[in-house]
Amino acid sequence: MLAKRQIGLVTATALVLGNMIGSGVFLLPATLAPFGVWSLVGWVVSAVGALLVAGVFYRLTKRMPLASGPYAYAREAFGDCVGFLVAWMYWVGGVIGNAAIAVTFASYLSALVPGFGTWPLSSALIALAAIWMLTAVNLGGIRSAGRVQVVTTVLKVAPLLALAIFGLACFQPHLLAPGPQAGAPFHAINVSVAATLFAFIGVECASIPTGHVRDPARTIPRATLLGTVIAAVLYIACTAAVMGVVPAAALATSQAPFALAGTLLWGSWAGWLIAGAAAVSCFGALNGWILIVGQFPQAVARDGLLPRAFARQSGRGAPVFALVIAAVVDSVLVLANYSHGLVAMFTFLVLLTALSGVFAYLFSALAEIVIAHRSGQRMGWRNLSLALGAFAFALWATLGAGHEIVYWTFALMLIGVPLYVWQMHHAHGDHSLEPKLASGATP
């Protein structure tokens, strides 16, 4: 395992940035192509909302610098049940998100291998290979996973900057005209916000490995805001560049929209180079999130809200059970959806992941208010407004995702309820409710 207090500001910022800039920005231009200019408005709204959420985590990590992210804040404010549901949805969302990242990795690999994208099953097999390869890396311990994360984070930013600069220089505004499928502007913006929010999932990642961070009360809040600002600027600039260079009809059917934009700007060599960079970026983000969905359940299990198996680790500090379970679920998701096509599968998984993450953001925003009140500290009207703004944004993103995705998200939450009941029964025995009933509650 890594020695404690090894992570400084640069590394913590790279964790936030590396986990946010992974797959979302690289395939989202294809998803958003029908909405044209309204999708850019959606990006701006998501960026503002993500900064509000980052502000919430900034203040929460100052109040509770040793807490393990959104789960710990919700549990502190609202108790075990809400804490469990936040942890459950966050973990499930991370697992589902890994399937989306693996799909995007396979999508960009198709730009490197001619004809690859015409074989959906082959694409699914490549996604499965990436999932299990990086699961094996994480089973080797957090140190080996950390090496992969640092290298891929460094490699991903430079091509994004180049594409943004040169793409905006060749920007063609008429290409941003909304298509016939966009619908009313408000509808188009709503869907765009729900989709682009996926790209900002990860804003909270610096708050999870608190035991390894030097001066967490200062480092984690700064890394959270800095990583979010850098990601927001890159996202909006790159998406605008791609959509202002590639016609919407071609963009909507592209398996690798960034590579297509690079080809139009500089020729086939650039498209190949950008596709390779995007694949590396997705590979790195997949590694980072496999690390998170393996390490995160440990804190929850140690608090008795998940089965003890999640808390166990190998001699190298790897949470074997959590990593293997996550890899199995991701494999099932990829195989169950590959026949829908890469872009369609990505869109479904993105929305499901985003809403699972939003669940944590909703309660974190409210937790800040409750924790401040309980501790007797005044928030001030500005901080209170920012917390309520973060809550409103997360609620808007939820409603904008559409009834089908909300339905599946709610179903995922309900699946976790029996697990919580079973875990409480197992942890506290058959009579665990008796003290509460004796204190005046009515059965």
Side-chain angles (χ1 to χ4, degrees):
M1 293 178 66
L2 286 172
K4 288 192 174 184
R5 311 306 175 195
Q6 253 185 342
I7 299 177
L9 178 61
V10 173
T11 306
T13 303
L15 179 61
V16 175
L17 195 59
N19 275 17
M20 279 201 288
I21 300 180
S23 66
V25 69
F26 288 108
L27 200 56
L28 274 173
T31 300
L32 300 174
F35 306 115
V37 68
W38 301 123
S39 67
L40 296 183
V41 177
W43 267 115
V44 172
V45 173
S46 282
V48 172
L51 288 172
L52 290 173
V53 172
V56 167
F57 285 113
Y58 180 95
R59 294 183 295 276
L60 282 170
T61 50
K62 281 186 171 293
R63 297 180 189 277
M64 302 171 60
L66 298 180
S68 300
Y71 146 76
Y73 308 139
R75 185 176 183 235
E76 176 67 20
F78 305 111
D80 284 350
C81 184
V82 173
F84 169 83
L85 290 176
V86 169
W88 168 255
M89 293 302 294
Y90 185 81
W91 183 72
V92 169
V95 172
I96 294 172
N98 284 345
I101 296 172
V103 165
T104 311
F105 171 74
S107 181
Y108 269 90
L109 204 61
S110 69
L112 301 176
V113 183
F116 179 78
T118 61
W119 306 330
L121 182 57
S122 297
S123 301
L125 292 177
I126 292 296
L128 292 177
I131 289 168
W132 285 100
M133 183 186 304
L134 289 173
T135 298
V137 169
N138 278 268
L139 286 172
I142 196 171
R143 186 180 295 276
S144 61
R147 292 193 188 104
V148 174
Q149 186 71 3
V150 170
V151 172
T152 52
T153 299
V154 170
L155 292 176
K156 70 177 65 177
V157 174
L160 287 176
L161 284 173
L163 185 64
I165 293 170
F166 287 98
L168 291 175
C170 301
F171 187 79
Q172 302 178 60
H174 70 274
L175 294 179
L176 291 179
Q181 298 177 344
F186 188 72
H187 167 77
I189 293 172
N190 272 346
V191 176
S192 298
V193 168
T196 54
L197 180 61
F198 170 78
F200 289 102
I201 299 295
V203 63
E204 70 291 335
C205 282
S207 67
I208 292 176
T210 53
H212 300 283
V213 179
R214 292 193 299 268
D215 192 9
R218 288 169 55 88
T219 300
I220 295 175
R222 293 179 178 181
T224 298
L225 285 182
L226 186 58
T228 305
V229 169
I230 294 173
V233 172
L234 282 175
Y235 283 159
I236 296 172
C238 289
T239 304
V242 171
M243 297 182 72
V245 170
V246 182
L251 198 59
T253 58
S254 174
Q255 300 287 349
F258 270 58
L260 179 57
T263 300
L264 292 177
L265 286 172
W266 300 301
S268 58
W269 69 269
W272 186 89
L273 182 63
I274 290 176
V280 169
S281 179
C282 295
F283 194 75
L286 181 60
N287 173 73
W289 277 105
I290 286 177
L291 186 152
I292 292 294
V293 300
Q295 297 289 332
F296 173 74
Q298 284 186 316
V300 186
R302 286 167 184 161
D303 287 338
L305 298 185
L306 279 178
R308 291 181 182 177
F310 284 94
R312 295 174 188 149
Q313 56 187 26
S314 67
R316 296 184 177 182
V320 177
F321 180 80
L323 288 170
V324 172
I325 287 293
V328 169
V329 174
D330 283 331
S331 300
V332 172
L333 285 172
V334 170
L335 291 174
N337 289 279
Y338 84 88
S339 60
H340 297 166
L342 289 176
V343 173
M345 176 174 25
F346 174 82
T347 302
F348 176 78
L349 295 178
V350 157
L351 291 174
L352 199 56
T353 300
L355 286 199
S356 298
V358 163
F359 192 80
Y361 299 161
L362 284 167
F363 281 99
S364 293
L366 295 179
E368 183 191 6
I369 300 172
V370 173
I371 293 171
H373 176 74
R374 188 177 294 164
S375 63
Q377 300 175 352
R378 293 186 60 186
M379 286 190 67
W381 67 268
R382 184 171 62 181
N383 287 344
L384 179 61
S385 298
L386 291 176
L388 292 176
F391 176 83
F393 163 73
L395 186 61
W396 182 14
T398 300
L399 298 177
H403 66 276
E404 181 181 1
I405 297 299
V406 172
Y407 165 81
W408 281 108
T409 304
F410 184 66
L412 285 175
M413 183 184 70
L414 292 181
I415 290 172
V417 173
L419 176 61
Y420 172 76
V421 174
W422 179 87
Q423 183 62 22
M424 292 299 98
H425 173 81
H426 180 74
H428 303 298
D430 294 342
H431 305 292
S432 60
L433 291 179
E434 286 184 359
K436 294 183 180 180
L437 294 176
S439 66
T442 302

